[in-house]
Amino acid sequence: MSVGSGGRGRAERSSCQGARGPEAAPPPQARSEGPPEPEAPGRPEMVRGVAGWGCFWLWCSACVLAQGLRIHEYLYFQVLSPGDIRYIFTVTPAKDFGGVFHTRYEQIQLVPADPPEACGPLNNGFFIQDQIALVERGGCSFLSKTRVVQDHGGRAVIISDNAADNDSFYVEMIQDSSHRTADIPALFLLGRDGYMIRRSLEQHGLPWAIISIPVNVTSIPTFELLQPPWTLW
């Protein structure tokens, strides 16, 4: 379900069937010297099965290359500090507004907006300049929040759901009816993830977190171990 403002509509995670990418070329055939080896009974079926899985993985790799750092409409960022939430979080880009990441930020501040809904001038706008703002859903449209952060010089905005118990449903952020535009990336974060990040910062008395974004999870062997333990996977 598409949502352009603070409504309660939600969209479930997309499936792998929605990914698009160029078809991967088949692996080169190994040359054999001498007569072919006789096949044991049942071996042709096994070889075809292995080849099928090989083609599947090659196709998935091609999807990743075609999407860059985006996989099946998801993006990922990792919290580097505070250490108690040093996990990889999943976000979804806005559907029809906002920009894209043209570079990876190895270390950048994730600054909770004040006020959290960011529907007007920010009290801590100075700290959001050249950083990424963490904003809460509600009060105004997603596009309005994005423009407020953009006007304060933010590099991107992460908008978390205002339902702290939401740990599995992603809202599809769309334009409002104002015909305005925004240039910075706008990403949606699960409410549970946003709540846990803010709570950790409050407990440590920190004004912001340090994150790396976007993260290419295909290059991280321990990706599954770095996912938030409170989130459904």
Side-chain angles (χ1 to χ4, degrees):
M1 178 182 297
S2 300
V3 180
S5 61
R8 299 296 301 169
R10 295 174 176 176
E12 294 187 79
R13 298 170 183 257
S14 58
S15 66
C16 184
Q17 295 176 354
R20 293 181 180 178
E23 295 182 0
Q29 297 290 334
R31 295 183 178 180
S32 60
E33 298 181 1
E37 182 183 19
E39 295 180 342
R43 185 174 177 179
E45 289 76 8
M46 180 181 69
V47 172
R48 283 194 293 269
V50 172
W53 279 108
C55 291
F56 172 77
W57 286 113
L58 286 173
W59 177 81
C60 285
S61 299
C63 288
V64 172
L65 292 175
Q67 297 279 342
L69 295 178
R70 179 186 294 189
I71 302 178
H72 311 325
E73 302 304 319
Y74 295 134
L75 284 175
Y76 303 87
F77 71 91
Q78 182 173 13
V79 172
L80 305 177
S81 174
D84 60 332
I85 52 170
R86 193 179 173 91
Y87 301 115
I88 295 178
F89 295 86
T90 305
V91 289
T92 54
K95 181 179 180 181
D96 55 5
F97 69 89
V100 297
F101 287 98
H102 296 288
T103 185
R104 177 184 178 187
Y105 298 102
E106 297 290 344
Q107 291 189 15
I108 192 169
Q109 296 170 4
L110 178 64
V111 185
D114 178 23
E117 293 183 346
C119 292
L122 302 177
N123 299 324
N124 62 340
F126 176 80
F127 298 103
I128 288 176
Q129 183 174 358
D130 293 325
Q131 309 301 327
I132 297 177
L134 177 62
V135 173
E136 190 170 289
R137 180 187 180 192
C140 59
S141 70
F142 294 117
L143 178 57
S144 294
K145 299 173 186 292
T146 304
R147 287 181 59 89
V148 167
V149 172
Q150 177 176 300
D151 291 344
H152 283 81
R155 299 287 182 91
V157 58
I158 296 178
I159 304 174
S160 67
D161 197 1
N162 52 8
D165 59 345
N166 177 14
D167 59 4
S168 58
F169 292 96
Y170 289 88
V171 172
E172 189 176 65
M173 301 191 300
I174 63 173
Q175 276 209 11
D176 54 24
S177 58
S178 64
H179 304 291
R180 298 172 298 171
T181 59
D183 301 321
I184 64 173
L187 311 170
F188 184 83
L189 177 69
L190 294 175
R192 184 65 172 172
D193 292 345
Y195 167 77
M196 296 299 286
I197 292 174
R198 291 189 185 89
R199 190 184 74 167
S200 176
L201 293 177
E202 292 174 359
Q203 290 176 342
H204 293 282
L206 297 174
W208 54 68
I210 304 297
I211 68 172
S212 176
I213 187 171
V215 172
N216 186 352
V217 298
T218 62
S219 64
I220 304 178
T222 57
F223 168 55
E224 293 186 358
L225 301 178
L226 294 175
Q227 297 171 5
W230 57 80
T231 303
L232 297 177
W233 295 93

